[in-house]
Amino acid sequence: GPEFETILLERTGRVAVLTLNRPKALNALNSQVLLDVSAALDLLENDESVGAVVLTGSERAFAAGADIKEMQSKSYMDMFLVDHFGGWDRVAAFRKPIIAAVAGYALGGGCELAMMCDLLIAADNAKFGQPEIKLGIIPGMGGSQRLTKAVGKAKAMDLILTGRNMDAEEAERAGLVSRIVPAADLLTVALETAQTIASMSLPSVMIAKESVNRAFETTLGEGLRFERRVFHSLFATEDQKEGMAAFVEKRAADFHNR
Ligand code: CO8
């Protein structure tokens, strides 16, 4: 596959695994990581043989945040004119499912990146936090919004104003995390989950993701109307016919993602 400076991109079947790989900086997110992740997601989105993506880091760190050394000397104009970090919206706009497989530190931009993903599977050693306040700034890649939607105002205020970390147990209780697994099993479980998703009909998976995400962006009435429309639209797919025929004939469905 293609080579990147700061990430590894591997394929197993219909699943792509994207591994953040700046071990000396605990996978801190600098401009090159953004370029690499964006380029990889462009490839994967356009590749019909990819049904789901796993985004992971190392056992020590998913990502310890935006690269503080890169940001340190920037001015307001430096940040504003290039819309520093705006490019990370690429991850949230990705149309296929992405599973964040998080071990170790997911701090600041690292926590925000994990929250842009669709499912968050945490190793038992995972630590989540928005420590930006300790640097004299605030979350800048969605943390004040997505964390609040995920865990509610009380805990979001607690984390964002004090900068403290929460462990995997607390993150699961709070609703940030889909599942906790032993660190040694993290990638296996994330891959199995991704493979399960990738075995479904891709158009239905993409539309399901879009529909769930609508719940965070609109009113209940609008969201329900959106769901109804896209639900009806799936009856235009060959895979709906195949999926229902397979059920009636008591056999496994053979989806062609059409
Ligand atoms: N940026 C740059 N370098 C980092 C970062 C970072 N965020 N985190 C760790 N590193 C580097 C360290 O400087 C160190 O490098 P060196 O060996 O050259 O000194 C190396 O990684 C290893 O780190 P430590 O020696 O500190 O390892 P420890 O095990 O002692 O501590 C911690 C691990 C607790 C994770 C610690 O490194 C830490 O506190 N890191 C910073 C966490 C943080 O504040 N993150 C928030 C950053 S601000 C942010 O994310 C703003 C978001 C806004 C937009 C987001 C866009 C992506």
PDB file of all heavy atoms in Angstrom, residues 149-176:
ATOM      1  N   LYS A 149     -21.830  16.286  24.573  1.00  0.00           N
ATOM      2  CA  LYS A 149     -22.919  15.448  24.043  1.00  0.00           C
ATOM      3  C   LYS A 149     -22.747  14.004  24.496  1.00  0.00           C
ATOM      4  O   LYS A 149     -23.733  13.295  24.722  1.00  0.00           O
ATOM      5  CB  LYS A 149     -22.961  15.534  22.519  1.00  0.00           C
ATOM      6  CG  LYS A 149     -23.446  16.923  22.102  1.00  0.00           C
ATOM      7  CD  LYS A 149     -23.964  16.991  20.696  1.00  0.00           C
ATOM      8  CE  LYS A 149     -24.954  18.147  20.555  1.00  0.00           C
ATOM      9  NZ  LYS A 149     -24.578  19.146  19.564  1.00  0.00           N
ATOM     10  N   ALA A 150     -21.509  13.537  24.629  1.00  0.00           N
ATOM     11  CA  ALA A 150     -21.275  12.134  24.993  1.00  0.00           C
ATOM     12  C   ALA A 150     -21.502  11.875  26.477  1.00  0.00           C
ATOM     13  O   ALA A 150     -22.088  10.859  26.842  1.00  0.00           O
ATOM     14  CB  ALA A 150     -19.849  11.714  24.597  1.00  0.00           C
ATOM     15  N   VAL A 151     -21.042  12.761  27.344  1.00  0.00           N
ATOM     16  CA  VAL A 151     -21.054  12.448  28.785  1.00  0.00           C
ATOM     17  C   VAL A 151     -21.934  13.398  29.594  1.00  0.00           C
ATOM     18  O   VAL A 151     -22.060  13.203  30.806  1.00  0.00           O
ATOM     19  CB  VAL A 151     -19.620  12.438  29.375  1.00  0.00           C
ATOM     20  CG1 VAL A 151     -18.722  11.476  28.605  1.00  0.00           C
ATOM     21  CG2 VAL A 151     -19.001  13.831  29.412  1.00  0.00           C
ATOM     22  N   GLY A 152     -22.521  14.403  28.959  1.00  0.00           N
ATOM     23  CA  GLY A 152     -23.371  15.338  29.700  1.00  0.00           C
ATOM     24  C   GLY A 152     -22.577  16.513  30.263  1.00  0.00           C
ATOM     25  O   GLY A 152     -21.349  16.490  30.331  1.00  0.00           O
ATOM     26  N   LYS A 153     -23.326  17.535  30.679  1.00  0.00           N
ATOM     27  CA  LYS A 153     -22.677  18.783  31.098  1.00  0.00           C
ATOM     28  C   LYS A 153     -21.825  18.614  32.358  1.00  0.00           C
ATOM     29  O   LYS A 153     -20.720  19.151  32.443  1.00  0.00           O
ATOM     30  CB  LYS A 153     -23.750  19.858  31.357  1.00  0.00           C
ATOM     31  CG  LYS A 153     -23.195  21.152  31.907  1.00  0.00           C
ATOM     32  CD  LYS A 153     -24.263  22.219  32.074  1.00  0.00           C
ATOM     33  CE  LYS A 153     -23.711  23.376  32.898  1.00  0.00           C
ATOM     34  NZ  LYS A 153     -24.681  24.471  33.050  1.00  0.00           N
ATOM     35  N   ALA A 154     -22.324  17.871  33.347  1.00  0.00           N
ATOM     36  CA  ALA A 154     -21.643  17.825  34.646  1.00  0.00           C
ATOM     37  C   ALA A 154     -20.223  17.289  34.489  1.00  0.00           C
ATOM     38  O   ALA A 154     -19.243  17.892  34.946  1.00  0.00           O
ATOM     39  CB  ALA A 154     -22.440  16.969  35.628  1.00  0.00           C
ATOM     40  N   LYS A 155     -20.107  16.150  33.828  1.00  0.00           N
ATOM     41  CA  LYS A 155     -18.786  15.541  33.698  1.00  0.00           C
ATOM     42  C   LYS A 155     -17.919  16.291  32.687  1.00  0.00           C
ATOM     43  O   LYS A 155     -16.703  16.404  32.868  1.00  0.00           O
ATOM     44  CB  LYS A 155     -18.915  14.055  33.328  1.00  0.00           C
ATOM     45  CG  LYS A 155     -17.694  13.258  33.740  1.00  0.00           C
ATOM     46  CD  LYS A 155     -17.888  11.760  33.637  1.00  0.00           C
ATOM     47  CE  LYS A 155     -18.548  11.127  34.834  1.00  0.00           C
ATOM     48  NZ  LYS A 155     -17.658  11.059  36.017  1.00  0.00           N
ATOM     49  N   ALA A 156     -18.534  16.828  31.639  1.00  0.00           N
ATOM     50  CA  ALA A 156     -17.751  17.595  30.659  1.00  0.00           C
ATOM     51  C   ALA A 156     -17.134  18.822  31.325  1.00  0.00           C
ATOM     52  O   ALA A 156     -15.949  19.117  31.133  1.00  0.00           O
ATOM     53  CB  ALA A 156     -18.620  17.994  29.471  1.00  0.00           C
ATOM     54  N   MET A 157     -17.913  19.516  32.115  1.00  0.00           N
ATOM     55  CA  MET A 157     -17.381  20.692  32.837  1.00  0.00           C
ATOM     56  C   MET A 157     -16.257  20.273  33.772  1.00  0.00           C
ATOM     57  O   MET A 157     -15.209  20.922  33.840  1.00  0.00           O
ATOM     58  CB  MET A 157     -18.491  21.367  33.653  1.00  0.00           C
ATOM     59  CG  MET A 157     -19.447  22.185  32.837  1.00  0.00           C
ATOM     60  SD  MET A 157     -18.661  23.722  32.270  1.00  0.00           S
ATOM     61  CE  MET A 157     -20.118  24.559  31.619  1.00  0.00           C
ATOM     62  N   ASP A 158     -16.473  19.190  34.502  1.00  0.00           N
ATOM     63  CA  ASP A 158     -15.470  18.672  35.429  1.00  0.00           C
ATOM     64  C   ASP A 158     -14.154  18.433  34.688  1.00  0.00           C
ATOM     65  O   ASP A 158     -13.081  18.917  35.078  1.00  0.00           O
ATOM     66  CB  ASP A 158     -16.039  17.381  36.044  1.00  0.00           C
ATOM     67  CG  ASP A 158     -15.107  16.689  37.024  1.00  0.00           C
ATOM     68  OD1 ASP A 158     -13.967  17.144  37.199  1.00  0.00           O
ATOM     69  OD2 ASP A 158     -15.533  15.668  37.601  1.00  0.00           O
ATOM     70  N   LEU A 159     -14.226  17.706  33.570  1.00  0.00           N
ATOM     71  CA  LEU A 159     -13.002  17.338  32.840  1.00  0.00           C
ATOM     72  C   LEU A 159     -12.351  18.545  32.166  1.00  0.00           C
ATOM     73  O   LEU A 159     -11.137  18.713  32.215  1.00  0.00           O
ATOM     74  CB  LEU A 159     -13.337  16.275  31.786  1.00  0.00           C
ATOM     75  CG  LEU A 159     -13.704  14.912  32.369  1.00  0.00           C
ATOM     76  CD1 LEU A 159     -14.418  14.064  31.322  1.00  0.00           C
ATOM     77  CD2 LEU A 159     -12.481  14.178  32.888  1.00  0.00           C
ATOM     78  N   ILE A 160     -13.157  19.383  31.529  1.00  0.00           N
ATOM     79  CA  ILE A 160     -12.594  20.476  30.721  1.00  0.00           C
ATOM     80  C   ILE A 160     -12.081  21.612  31.598  1.00  0.00           C
ATOM     81  O   ILE A 160     -11.092  22.259  31.278  1.00  0.00           O
ATOM     82  CB  ILE A 160     -13.647  20.956  29.689  1.00  0.00           C
ATOM     83  CG1 ILE A 160     -13.836  19.872  28.616  1.00  0.00           C
ATOM     84  CG2 ILE A 160     -13.240  22.282  29.052  1.00  0.00           C
ATOM     85  CD1 ILE A 160     -15.017  20.090  27.680  1.00  0.00           C
ATOM     86  N   LEU A 161     -12.720  21.844  32.755  1.00  0.00           N
ATOM     87  CA  LEU A 161     -12.269  22.940  33.619  1.00  0.00           C
ATOM     88  C   LEU A 161     -11.109  22.549  34.528  1.00  0.00           C
ATOM     89  O   LEU A 161     -10.286  23.394  34.881  1.00  0.00           O
ATOM     90  CB  LEU A 161     -13.440  23.479  34.461  1.00  0.00           C
ATOM     91  CG  LEU A 161     -14.594  24.088  33.658  1.00  0.00           C
ATOM     92  CD1 LEU A 161     -15.667  24.642  34.589  1.00  0.00           C
ATOM     93  CD2 LEU A 161     -14.096  25.185  32.727  1.00  0.00           C
ATOM     94  N   THR A 162     -11.035  21.276  34.917  1.00  0.00           N
ATOM     95  CA  THR A 162      -9.920  20.866  35.782  1.00  0.00           C
ATOM     96  C   THR A 162      -8.777  20.257  34.989  1.00  0.00           C
ATOM     97  O   THR A 162      -7.648  20.190  35.472  1.00  0.00           O
ATOM     98  CB  THR A 162     -10.351  19.808  36.825  1.00  0.00           C
ATOM     99  OG1 THR A 162     -10.631  18.574  36.145  1.00  0.00           O
ATOM    100  CG2 THR A 162     -11.574  20.261  37.620  1.00  0.00           C
ATOM    101  N   GLY A 163      -9.049  19.754  33.802  1.00  0.00           N
ATOM    102  CA  GLY A 163      -8.014  19.102  33.001  1.00  0.00           C
ATOM    103  C   GLY A 163      -7.656  17.708  33.478  1.00  0.00           C
ATOM    104  O   GLY A 163      -6.690  17.118  32.995  1.00  0.00           O
ATOM    105  N   ARG A 164      -8.460  17.144  34.417  1.00  0.00           N
ATOM    106  CA  ARG A 164      -8.109  15.814  34.926  1.00  0.00           C
ATOM    107  C   ARG A 164      -8.416  14.740  33.887  1.00  0.00           C
ATOM    108  O   ARG A 164      -9.242  14.939  32.999  1.00  0.00           O
ATOM    109  CB  ARG A 164      -8.865  15.520  36.229  1.00  0.00           C
ATOM    110  CG  ARG A 164     -10.319  15.120  36.064  1.00  0.00           C
ATOM    111  CD  ARG A 164     -10.930  14.694  37.395  1.00  0.00           C
ATOM    112  NE  ARG A 164     -12.365  14.438  37.263  1.00  0.00           N
ATOM    113  CZ  ARG A 164     -12.885  13.249  36.897  1.00  0.00           C
ATOM    114  NH1 ARG A 164     -12.100  12.224  36.622  1.00  0.00           N
ATOM    115  NH2 ARG A 164     -14.190  13.099  36.813  1.00  0.00           N
ATOM    116  N   ASN A 165      -7.744  13.600  34.016  1.00  0.00           N
ATOM    117  CA  ASN A 165      -8.010  12.456  33.139  1.00  0.00           C
ATOM    118  C   ASN A 165      -9.090  11.571  33.737  1.00  0.00           C
ATOM    119  O   ASN A 165      -9.278  11.542  34.944  1.00  0.00           O
ATOM    120  CB  ASN A 165      -6.760  11.584  32.982  1.00  0.00           C
ATOM    121  CG  ASN A 165      -5.662  12.302  32.236  1.00  0.00           C
ATOM    122  OD1 ASN A 165      -5.891  13.339  31.606  1.00  0.00           O
ATOM    123  ND2 ASN A 165      -4.463  11.754  32.303  1.00  0.00           N
ATOM    124  N   MET A 166      -9.780  10.812  32.883  1.00  0.00           N
ATOM    125  CA  MET A 166     -10.617   9.726  33.405  1.00  0.00           C
ATOM    126  C   MET A 166     -10.127   8.402  32.832  1.00  0.00           C
ATOM    127  O   MET A 166      -9.636   8.338  31.707  1.00  0.00           O
ATOM    128  CB  MET A 166     -12.107   9.959  33.173  1.00  0.00           C
ATOM    129  CG  MET A 166     -12.577  10.042  31.780  1.00  0.00           C
ATOM    130  SD  MET A 166     -14.387  10.314  31.793  1.00  0.00           S
ATOM    131  CE  MET A 166     -14.623  10.649  30.064  1.00  0.00           C
ATOM    132  N   ASP A 167     -10.243   7.358  33.654  1.00  0.00           N
ATOM    133  CA  ASP A 167      -9.790   6.046  33.191  1.00  0.00           C
ATOM    134  C   ASP A 167     -10.895   5.385  32.362  1.00  0.00           C
ATOM    135  O   ASP A 167     -11.994   5.935  32.195  1.00  0.00           O
ATOM    136  CB  ASP A 167      -9.343   5.171  34.372  1.00  0.00           C
ATOM    137  CG  ASP A 167     -10.457   4.870  35.361  1.00  0.00           C
ATOM    138  OD1 ASP A 167     -11.651   5.058  35.006  1.00  0.00           O
ATOM    139  OD2 ASP A 167     -10.160   4.438  36.492  1.00  0.00           O
ATOM    140  N   ALA A 168     -10.585   4.191  31.855  1.00  0.00           N
ATOM    141  CA  ALA A 168     -11.514   3.525  30.944  1.00  0.00           C
ATOM    142  C   ALA A 168     -12.856   3.223  31.616  1.00  0.00           C
ATOM    143  O   ALA A 168     -13.919   3.393  31.004  1.00  0.00           O
ATOM    144  CB  ALA A 168     -10.881   2.233  30.413  1.00  0.00           C
ATOM    145  N   GLU A 169     -12.807   2.803  32.893  1.00  0.00           N
ATOM    146  CA  GLU A 169     -14.050   2.476  33.618  1.00  0.00           C
ATOM    147  C   GLU A 169     -14.970   3.685  33.700  1.00  0.00           C
ATOM    148  O   GLU A 169     -16.171   3.601  33.434  1.00  0.00           O
ATOM    149  CB  GLU A 169     -13.722   2.021  35.057  1.00  0.00           C
ATOM    150  CG  GLU A 169     -12.943   0.729  35.168  1.00  0.00           C
ATOM    151  CD  GLU A 169     -13.809  -0.492  34.879  1.00  0.00           C
ATOM    152  OE1 GLU A 169     -15.045  -0.347  34.962  1.00  0.00           O
ATOM    153  OE2 GLU A 169     -13.242  -1.551  34.566  1.00  0.00           O
ATOM    154  N   GLU A 170     -14.381   4.812  34.109  1.00  0.00           N
ATOM    155  CA  GLU A 170     -15.193   6.030  34.243  1.00  0.00           C
ATOM    156  C   GLU A 170     -15.731   6.453  32.867  1.00  0.00           C
ATOM    157  O   GLU A 170     -16.884   6.868  32.740  1.00  0.00           O
ATOM    158  CB  GLU A 170     -14.365   7.160  34.862  1.00  0.00           C
ATOM    159  CG  GLU A 170     -15.185   8.421  35.094  1.00  0.00           C
ATOM    160  CD  GLU A 170     -14.408   9.560  35.750  1.00  0.00           C
ATOM    161  OE1 GLU A 170     -13.204   9.411  36.039  1.00  0.00           O
ATOM    162  OE2 GLU A 170     -15.040  10.619  35.963  1.00  0.00           O
ATOM    163  N   ALA A 171     -14.896   6.298  31.844  1.00  0.00           N
ATOM    164  CA  ALA A 171     -15.313   6.700  30.496  1.00  0.00           C
ATOM    165  C   ALA A 171     -16.454   5.820  29.993  1.00  0.00           C
ATOM    166  O   ALA A 171     -17.363   6.292  29.306  1.00  0.00           O
ATOM    167  CB  ALA A 171     -14.126   6.634  29.543  1.00  0.00           C
ATOM    168  N   GLU A 172     -16.427   4.542  30.360  1.00  0.00           N
ATOM    169  CA  GLU A 172     -17.515   3.664  29.931  1.00  0.00           C
ATOM    170  C   GLU A 172     -18.806   3.981  30.691  1.00  0.00           C
ATOM    171  O   GLU A 172     -19.876   4.082  30.093  1.00  0.00           O
ATOM    172  CB  GLU A 172     -17.150   2.185  30.112  1.00  0.00           C
ATOM    173  CG  GLU A 172     -18.180   1.287  29.429  1.00  0.00           C
ATOM    174  CD  GLU A 172     -18.038  -0.184  29.774  1.00  0.00           C
ATOM    175  OE1 GLU A 172     -17.655  -0.501  30.927  1.00  0.00           O
ATOM    176  OE2 GLU A 172     -18.305  -1.010  28.890  1.00  0.00           O
ATOM    177  N   ARG A 173     -18.662   4.172  32.008  1.00  0.00           N
ATOM    178  CA  ARG A 173     -19.852   4.531  32.804  1.00  0.00           C
ATOM    179  C   ARG A 173     -20.491   5.806  32.282  1.00  0.00           C
ATOM    180  O   ARG A 173     -21.709   5.954  32.261  1.00  0.00           O
ATOM    181  CB  ARG A 173     -19.463   4.756  34.279  1.00  0.00           C
ATOM    182  CG  ARG A 173     -19.381   3.511  35.138  1.00  0.00           C
ATOM    183  CD  ARG A 173     -19.463   3.860  36.633  1.00  0.00           C
ATOM    184  NE  ARG A 173     -18.522   4.883  37.055  1.00  0.00           N
ATOM    185  CZ  ARG A 173     -17.235   4.656  37.351  1.00  0.00           C
ATOM    186  NH1 ARG A 173     -16.730   3.441  37.285  1.00  0.00           N
ATOM    187  NH2 ARG A 173     -16.450   5.652  37.724  1.00  0.00           N
ATOM    188  N   ALA A 174     -19.647   6.743  31.838  1.00  0.00           N
ATOM    189  CA  ALA A 174     -20.140   8.043  31.385  1.00  0.00           C
ATOM    190  C   ALA A 174     -20.735   7.991  29.977  1.00  0.00           C
ATOM    191  O   ALA A 174     -21.348   8.953  29.532  1.00  0.00           O
ATOM    192  CB  ALA A 174     -19.013   9.066  31.445  1.00  0.00           C
ATOM    193  N   GLY A 175     -20.494   6.898  29.263  1.00  0.00           N
ATOM    194  CA  GLY A 175     -21.079   6.777  27.930  1.00  0.00           C
ATOM    195  C   GLY A 175     -20.165   7.216  26.799  1.00  0.00           C
ATOM    196  O   GLY A 175     -20.589   7.310  25.650  1.00  0.00           O
ATOM    197  N   LEU A 176     -18.896   7.480  27.108  1.00  0.00           N
ATOM    198  CA  LEU A 176     -17.957   7.885  26.061  1.00  0.00           C
ATOM    199  C   LEU A 176     -17.471   6.688  25.256  1.00  0.00           C
ATOM    200  O   LEU A 176     -17.140   6.807  24.081  1.00  0.00           O
ATOM    201  CB  LEU A 176     -16.751   8.596  26.709  1.00  0.00           C
ATOM    202  CG  LEU A 176     -15.675   9.109  25.754  1.00  0.00           C
ATOM    203  CD1 LEU A 176     -16.225  10.226  24.876  1.00  0.00           C
ATOM    204  CD2 LEU A 176     -14.454   9.613  26.533  1.00  0.00           C
TER     205      LEU A 176
END
